[in-house]
Structures are given as C-alpha cells and as structure tokens.
Amino acid sequence: MDYLQWNNRIAAHFFNEERARCNVYLYVTEELINRLGFHEQVNCQDFIRAIKKGPSCFLERYPNIFRTALALKDLDQWRFRKLNYPPYIGYLAFLVLAASHDDFASKNYRKRLNFLLGENEKRQHPDFHRMLELWDDLENWANQEKGEEWGSFQKITILKHPHVGLIYGQTLLTEQEIKVLPTIFDAANLLPNSSISEQNLAKLLIEKGNKILNKRTIRLLESGINNEFCQALLNIVLEELAKWDGTGEFLSENGTLIYRCLLGFSAKWDRTAQILKLQVRCKIGKNFPEKGLSFDDKYFCEPESKNWSTPISINLSQYWQTGFELKSSDQECQFKLYPSKVRLLISGSGEGLSGLIEYSKLLPNIPFYLIVHQSCSHHIEQWGKSDCKEFEKVEINQGLPPGWNFYKAEAALRDTLKDQYPILAFPTTIKLNLEGGIRLEKGNEFFAFAPPKFILESGNESTTVQGYFNETLLNLEYQNGIYTLPLNTPTHQKIE
C-alpha cells in the first residue's frame, strides 16, 4: 500500500466516532499493523517500506523520514484540503512501533529505530527532536479542531526523557488492557471515580490483573511507583477510573457477556417531618436500553437523566453492608450494589435530579450528607467536628433502617479519614465534568437552549473554574459546587 493508504488505515483505527470523548493512545504494534493490512495481503514489512519511501504524491525526496513527516504536516495546507486525518500519523505510528518491543528501556530506542530503518545502529537523527511539533499538532487536531468527536488524544510526557519518553508514553497500556480495566475495578470493589493512592492502585492491579494484563505491564508495576514510567501508567489508570461510570460488559460465570450497571441511592429529605425517602436507582451507561429493563418480572426502570434511571421499587436496606446483585429478566444485564458502611450523598441538581444522589468521592467546600452505620458513627462524628464545617447529626423519624444514622455538613475541610473510608477522600487529580446539556453530535458542541453545567473535582480548595471566549472572561455562576454558563453566553464560538 502507498504511505497515505497506511496513514489513513492506522488513523481510522484510533480515531473514529466510537472513540468520542474517550482517551486515545497511539499504541502501535507489529500485530496491529499486520491486522490492518490483512485484507490487502500486506504486513508490517510493507508498512516500513512505505515509511522509508514516503508518499507517492511527493516528487521531492527528503534526506530522512523526519523531514518527510514534517513536510507532511505542511502538505499544501492539508486542513484546507479537508483530508480526514493528519497525513503524518503514519510516521508517529512508526516511532511508536519502534518502542513497542522494549520494557521501557529508552536507552535502547535509537538502536531499535535504526534496525527497523535498516541503518547503522549508532546513527544520530538531528531532526528527531522536532517530532514534538507533530505530537502537539495531533493533540490540537483531535482535542480542539475535532472537539474530541473521534477521541481525545493523550500526550504523555515523561520529563527525564522528553522526546523518547513521549513515544514510550503511548505504549503504557494496550487497547485491550484499557478495555479490561473495568473488570479489575469491579473485582476490587472500586467505586467509579473513587480515590485511591498510587501505591494501593499498583498493588491492586498486580493482584487482580495478574492474569489479564500483559507481563510487560505487570513488570512495570512491580518496578515501583518511583519509576517515572510506572507513575505515568498509574495516571492513565486513574483517569480511566475517573471516567468509568460503573457500567460495562463483563464475562459471567458461564462465560457469556453481560452488561453491568451500578445500583445507587437517591433521597428526598422532608426537613419538617424529618422523613428520609430513599429510592434505589440504576447508574446507567451508554448501553442501557432506552425502553428500560425489568427484574424478576416484578421491578422496572428506564432512563430518567443522563446518568440515572427511574427509581426501582425494591428495598435493599438489609444489603447496605454486604452488597447485592440483581439480574434483569432476560439475564443479559446485572446490577450491583457495592457494600459500604458509609454512603455519601450530594445535591442531584448537577445531574438533573431533585433531592440527593449517591456519590463516590468527597468534594471539598461542597455541602454533603452521610448515611453511616452505627459501628462507624464514633469515627465519623469525631472527624465531622474537627475537619468539617457545620457538621451535625440529623434525627430522622422515618426512612432509615435500624442501626444507621444521618449526618449533614456544609463542607469538608480535610480528608483525614481517607485511609479508613476511601469514599471520604478528596480527589487526587483535578477534573472538570460536563453534566447535562444536549449535544449536537458526539463532540463538545451543545444547543444554546441546553448548555452543560460544570462540576469541578479537585482536592485543592483554591482551584476554581474560569470560562473565556475570544479572551473575554465569562461570569460563571457558582452554587453548591456547580458552575453554570450565564444566559448571555455567546453562541457559535469556542468557550475555553
């Protein structure tokens, strides 16, 4: 195949509508290249030949592949020619291919690169450092110009090895490994978006992923969190955990695929009568049937908001500590209630629901509520008095099962109980969630009458959100941890 054919074949594999708003890593292996060329009966050797030859549209021969790649970036203003993909992706894929054989031994990279090019292993490449221009351009194209419609490209920079490390950063986890991460999260009873230390996460991945992660990955995890490459890998996993909504396809005990959702609680608190009305809901995902699901031919629910189903008329209070699983009547979906002695609730307004909803991470300086088993109440009350603002126990006359207490607080100031109760840990990374709104397509364009709201997740209370258009500051409204665009927000313009 011609170089541009290879380029487009590789690009389409990584960037497409199914990857909308998903993280994309350009992890290219010989097996992948062989698979992409299978129907044309060509393999990785043909790809390398095309890389060395360059695109047939070039009449001029460049002195090396790096000059060719840079020339493709400026190919007759390819953006104005409306090419589907940047024409230099094939060369970035080749650079990653040269790194996919090593155990992150960057000192061997040049030797491997020259071997694939059929050149002397000691040869230097003075234009190699300029490949950073292509990585930056790809990031801008995928995330800004395409608005993440075909995926969000993640450029991993490892400081001690700025150029080679960036390439190895694409090879930390394969596509298949990223796909099975929810299985590991589920096996470890990790809640979506939950906080966990790097040390504990590494141990968990080794223990629960030993049979499903590549040996190369396990060896990197065993090298310890002081290894920069290990830290970068754990950051990817933390990002995937933060994006995971608890749903996904899992193998059942008999080997069939089932779709799994989380069960969570919503609550309405009658402050006058001190009655708490708790309801069970499904935390739904993109594969949740629009027509709804029935359970044991007794219960039924359907989508109510982007993230939650309508309430299910089932009492699970006896399972709060032990956990519970429920299957749909067709046996194709499974719903799981995670066991916990401390359940955290926040305002549901950010997700389009009235009342309170169960949440999996404590956010500083935001009102929250706790349902706590009496065996933990002493620790929680001590923490509330010393590390929270306006923390108090609320006497509930009706709605709580025996042995449980209800608390409210204006804000958490410190997360000193995070080791005993991970759900009471502040976020370890900064994340801005878009909640609600109606998208035009799969990217980040919204109808003006239904813009999204923004929820900031950060363990640093000094972190705030600002919005700009054309360098003009927007006056974002802020209440209960939710940022809202003003009514006069300009349309048909990018807001950053």
Coordinates of all heavy atoms in Angstrom, one line a residue, residues 3 5 28 36 128 131 171 188 198 218 354 384 398 404 410 446:
Y3 N 2.0 5.0 1.2 CA 2.1 5.5 2.5 C 0.8 6.1 3.0 O 0.3 5.9 4.1 CB 3.2 6.6 2.6 CG 3.0 7.4 3.9 CD1 3.5 6.8 5.1 CD2 2.4 8.6 4.0 CE1 3.3 7.5 6.3 CE2 2.2 9.3 5.1 CZ 2.6 8.7 6.3 OH 2.4 9.4 7.5
Q5 N -2.2 5.5 2.2 CA -3.2 4.5 2.5 C -3.0 3.9 3.9 O -3.9 3.7 4.7 CB -3.1 3.3 1.5 CG -3.7 3.7 0.1 CD -3.5 2.6 -0.9 OE1 -2.4 2.3 -1.4 NE2 -4.6 1.9 -1.2
V28 N 1.0 1.3 18.8 CA 1.1 0.6 17.5 C 2.1 -0.6 17.7 O 3.2 -0.4 18.2 CB 1.6 1.5 16.4 CG1 1.8 0.7 15.1 CG2 0.6 2.7 16.2
L36 N -4.2 -4.7 10.2 CA -4.7 -3.6 9.4 C -4.4 -3.8 7.9 O -5.2 -3.3 7.0 CB -4.2 -2.2 9.8 CG -4.6 -1.8 11.3 CD1 -3.9 -0.4 11.6 CD2 -6.1 -1.6 11.4
F128 N 15.1 14.4 14.9 CA 14.2 13.6 15.7 C 13.5 14.4 16.7 O 12.3 14.3 17.0 CB 15.0 12.5 16.4 CG 14.2 11.7 17.3 CD1 13.3 10.8 16.9 CD2 14.4 11.8 18.7 CE1 12.6 10.0 17.8 CE2 13.7 11.1 19.6 CZ 12.8 10.2 19.2
M131 N 10.0 16.1 16.2 CA 8.8 15.3 16.1 C 7.8 15.8 17.2 O 6.6 15.5 17.1 CB 9.1 13.8 16.3 CG 9.8 13.1 15.2 SD 9.0 13.2 13.6 CE 9.7 14.7 12.8
T171 N 2.8 3.7 24.8 CA 2.9 2.2 24.9 C 2.6 1.7 26.3 O 3.0 0.5 26.5 CB 4.2 1.7 24.3 OG1 5.2 2.0 25.3 CG2 4.6 2.3 23.0
A188 N -12.1 -5.5 42.4 CA -11.5 -4.9 43.6 C -12.6 -4.1 44.4 O -12.2 -3.5 45.4 CB -10.4 -4.0 43.2
E198 N -1.5 5.8 44.8 CA -0.8 5.2 43.7 C -0.2 3.8 44.2 O -0.3 2.8 43.5 CB 0.4 6.1 43.2 CG -0.1 7.3 42.5 CD 1.1 8.1 42.0 OE1 2.2 7.9 42.5 OE2 0.9 9.0 41.1
I218 N 2.8 -5.9 34.1 CA 3.0 -6.3 35.5 C 4.4 -6.0 35.9 O 4.7 -5.6 37.0 CB 2.7 -7.8 35.6 CG1 1.2 -8.1 35.3 CG2 3.0 -8.3 37.0 CD1 0.2 -7.4 36.2
S354 N -33.9 16.0 41.3 CA -34.2 16.7 42.5 C -33.8 15.9 43.7 O -33.6 14.7 43.6 CB -35.7 17.0 42.6 OG -36.4 15.8 42.6
G384 N -16.1 14.8 61.7 CA -17.0 15.9 61.4 C -16.8 17.1 62.2 O -16.8 18.2 61.7
Q398 N -38.3 8.8 60.2 CA -38.8 7.7 59.3 C -37.9 7.6 58.1 O -37.6 8.6 57.5 CB -40.3 7.9 59.0 CG -40.9 6.8 58.1 CD -42.3 7.1 57.8 OE1 -43.0 7.8 58.5 NE2 -42.8 6.6 56.7
W404 N -28.6 2.7 61.6 CA -28.0 3.7 60.7 C -28.3 5.1 61.1 O -29.4 5.4 61.6 CB -28.4 3.5 59.2 CG -27.9 2.2 58.6 CD1 -28.5 1.0 58.8 CD2 -26.8 2.0 57.8 NE1 -27.8 0.0 58.2 CE2 -26.7 0.6 57.5 CE3 -25.9 2.9 57.3 CZ2 -25.7 0.1 56.7 CZ3 -24.9 2.4 56.5 CH2 -24.8 1.0 56.2
E410 N -21.9 21.4 55.9 CA -21.8 22.5 54.8 C -20.6 22.2 53.9 O -20.6 22.6 52.8 CB -21.6 23.8 55.5 CG -23.0 24.4 56.0 CD -24.0 24.5 54.9 OE1 -23.7 25.2 53.8 OE2 -25.1 23.9 55.0
F446 N -23.0 22.1 21.9 CA -24.3 21.9 22.6 C -25.3 22.9 22.0 O -24.9 24.0 21.5 CB -24.1 22.2 24.1 CG -23.3 21.2 24.8 CD1 -21.9 21.2 24.8 CD2 -24.0 20.2 25.5 CE1 -21.2 20.2 25.4 CE2 -23.3 19.2 26.2 CZ -21.9 19.2 26.2

